[in-house]
Amino acid sequence: MSIGYNPIMSPAPARTSRDAIVLAARAILEEDGLEAVSMGRVAERVGVRGPSLYKHVTDRAALIRAIGDAITVDLGRTLAVALDDGDPRSSLRAVTAAFRTFVHANPNGYGLLFAHLEPNLQPDQAAAAAIGEPLVLAMARIVGEQDALEAARTLVAWAHGFVSMELAGTFRLGGDVDAAYAFGLEAIVAGVSGSVTQAGDSPRRGRRRCPPPG
Amino acid sequence: MSIGYNPIMSPAPARTSRDAIVLAARAILEEDGLEAVSMGRVAERVGVRGPSLYKHVTDRAALIRAIGDAITVDLGRTLAVALDDGDPRSSLRAVTAAFRTFVHANPNGYGLLFAHLEPNLQPDQAAAAAIGEPLVLAMARIVGEQDALEAARTLVAWAHGFVSMELAGTFRLGGDVDAAYAFGLEAIVAGVSGSVTQAGDSPRRGRRRCPPPG
DNA sequence: ACCTGAACACCGTTCAAGT
DNA sequence: ACCTGAACACCGTTCAAGT
């Protein structure tokens, strides 16, 4: 058995922690955007001076990356919880609704995940990839194993694009945004469910919902 | 008739211009990202010193905004050119393909349009809204006037989400990305074309492609 | 009228000195 | 072992002085 390090005995016990720093940085990000996440302001929020942060995080880039990782984990948990075992279509609706709610609650944090950042600022990719898992499972129960992955990717791309545009405001959605979101979801589920081969695809995965006319 | 201002007579003719500055800034953005677009580096590229830029642009925020505006205009023109008057489905394919090609050629520039920026950095919204126009027109010829707007929005959200994820690399697309893009497009066109009412919508726009089973 | 160097405020980061 | 002030490099911005 090793004796280990006893912080009480140390000449200067830590007055903050990496977790507290990441949490403070994330709060500032949501409040005032990425540029506002300065080392000085984060330090102030956790009660130390700027230079002290470098005892807990490598540098600002590592801190930003840590925020992205934390948000990725949160989002993954949120989606996993929303996925129930009942009807796959209602499960899909629940997951996409939870996704949109999460993004609305964490707009700057979500934006960070897709910001065009230098490689050293990008969050952990393995964790990010795991987020799509529940969607693929629900999709498999609707379109079958074979198309599940591609169908899920189409849905994820749409959902991300929708909320991304909604937040950026670059393309305005007039009218009932909730209805537009529901419309898109139903259209995509319908589209990936069977009509995909109609536009000249190989008949390999041919699985039309209804016989051709005539 | 007014005599106007003659630059040749001026005590110090301009050695650069607003257009040249925006062009240089855009090139730096594509080469090394948004952070690299510093006043000093832009100035160096157009052959003046940093402070001189303030004679042509208000400040860095205005310069960034001008880059976004220029990219928005470029993208709009590119999509308008790609839209031909032939078969609406192939026209839609041409527009979405041109969109993806443009984003691949201007990744950081496109990312700028959707970056989570403070309001004063966001590009012109009117020009951005105009980009969707050709898509709505093509959609109208496929799904009819009534659903054209919502269908186009679904397609735009998907296309934006797809390329956004493709560039960010946050959700990896393994396998044939071109095929995944084609799959999504066909699925969405099929989905918005007629099956939308199946999930409990009001039958108002009911226009099923085929009779219910049984 | 535009360009420049000097100056200022601000931020990320390092480091020697404190405890 | 962690925290701090001082210091340095860098960047956005202003401004008086040049032409």
Side-chain angles (χ1 to χ4, degrees):
Chain A
M1 60 193 84
S2 72
I3 296 178
Y5 166 68
N6 182 346
I8 296 179
M9 301 288 291
S10 84
R15 250 170 273 176
T16 185
S17 68
R18 183 186 155 91
D19 282 355
I21 289 167
V22 173
L23 205 67
R26 189 172 163 182
I28 295 168
L29 171 68
E30 281 309 337
E31 286 166 17
D32 292 318
L34 187 57
E35 279 185 34
V37 183
S38 67
M39 300 303 270
R41 188 153 161 201
V42 173
E44 184 184 24
R45 198 167 181 123
V46 299
V48 297
R49 301 290 187 160
S52 300
L53 297 185
Y54 292 85
K55 286 291 167 183
H56 300 95
V57 296
T58 306
D59 54 17
R60 184 175 180 269
L63 176 55
I64 302 298
R65 224 193 84 106
I67 301 173
D69 289 345
I71 290 166
T72 301
V73 169
D74 265 21
L75 175 58
R77 260 200 275 266
T78 301
L79 297 190
V81 167
L83 184 85
D84 64 53
D85 300 338
D87 174 58
R89 279 184 172 77
S90 70
S91 189
L92 227 48
R93 280 186 212 109
V95 171
T96 51
F99 168 71
R100 185 156 167 256
T101 301
F102 180 91
V103 176
H104 286 175
N106 305 270
N108 287 338
Y110 185 75
L112 179 64
L113 302 185
F114 287 92
H116 241 359
L117 302 169
E118 292 112 274
N120 63 333
L121 291 184
Q122 274 180 229
D124 184 38
Q125 306 238 346
I131 291 179
E133 204 64 21
L135 275 175
V136 178
L137 294 177
M139 270 296 185
R141 289 191 286 155
I142 296 176
V143 306
E145 291 278 340
Q146 197 168 23
D147 286 351
L149 187 59
E150 262 181 331
R153 280 169 173 170
T154 300
L155 181 65
V156 168
W158 164 79
H160 162 62
F162 190 99
V163 299
S164 171
M165 287 175 20
E166 191 181 2
L167 291 182
T170 308
F171 295 78
R172 303 194 166 285
L173 292 173
D176 190 337
V177 182
D178 292 352
Y181 194 66
F183 175 96
L185 174 59
E186 304 307 336
I188 286 175
V189 170
V192 300
S193 289
S195 307
V196 182
T197 56
Q198 82 175 18
D201 237 315
S202 102
R204 172 178 52 82
R205 62 163 79 95
R207 182 167 16 84
R208 275 202 174 81
R209 244 200 322 280
C210 45
Chain B
M1 60 192 83
S2 72
I3 296 179
Y5 167 68
N6 183 348
I8 296 178
M9 303 287 292
S10 84
R15 250 169 272 176
T16 185
S17 68
R18 184 186 154 90
D19 282 355
I21 289 167
V22 173
L23 205 67
R26 190 172 163 182
I28 295 168
L29 170 69
E30 281 309 337
E31 285 165 18
D32 291 317
L34 188 58
E35 280 186 34
V37 183
S38 66
M39 300 303 270
R41 188 154 160 200
V42 172
E44 185 184 22
R45 198 166 181 124
V46 298
V48 298
R49 302 289 187 162
S52 300
L53 298 186
Y54 292 85
K55 286 290 165 183
H56 300 96
V57 297
T58 305
D59 53 18
R60 183 175 181 269
L63 176 55
I64 302 298
R65 225 193 83 107
I67 301 173
D69 289 344
I71 290 165
T72 301
V73 169
D74 265 22
L75 175 57
R77 260 199 274 266
T78 301
L79 298 190
V81 167
L83 184 87
D84 63 55
D85 301 337
D87 174 58
R89 278 185 171 77
S90 69
S91 188
L92 227 48
R93 280 186 211 108
V95 172
T96 51
F99 168 71
R100 185 156 167 255
T101 300
F102 180 91
V103 176
H104 287 176
N106 305 269
N108 288 338
Y110 185 75
L112 178 64
L113 302 185
F114 287 92
H116 240 359
L117 301 170
E118 292 113 272
N120 62 332
L121 291 184
Q122 272 179 228
D124 183 37
Q125 306 237 346
I131 291 180
E133 204 64 22
L135 275 174
V136 178
L137 294 177
M139 270 298 186
R141 289 191 286 154
I142 296 176
V143 306
E145 292 276 340
Q146 196 167 27
D147 286 351
L149 187 59
E150 262 181 331
R153 280 169 174 170
T154 300
L155 182 64
V156 169
W158 164 78
H160 162 61
F162 190 100
V163 299
S164 171
M165 286 176 18
E166 191 182 1
L167 291 181
T170 309
F171 295 79
R172 302 195 166 286
L173 291 172
D176 190 339
V177 182
D178 292 352
Y181 194 65
F183 176 96
L185 174 60
E186 304 307 334
I188 286 174
V189 170
V192 300
S193 289
S195 307
V196 182
T197 55
Q198 80 173 23
D201 237 314
S202 102
R204 171 179 52 84
R205 62 163 79 93
R207 182 167 20 83
R208 275 203 173 81
R209 244 200 322 279
C210 46

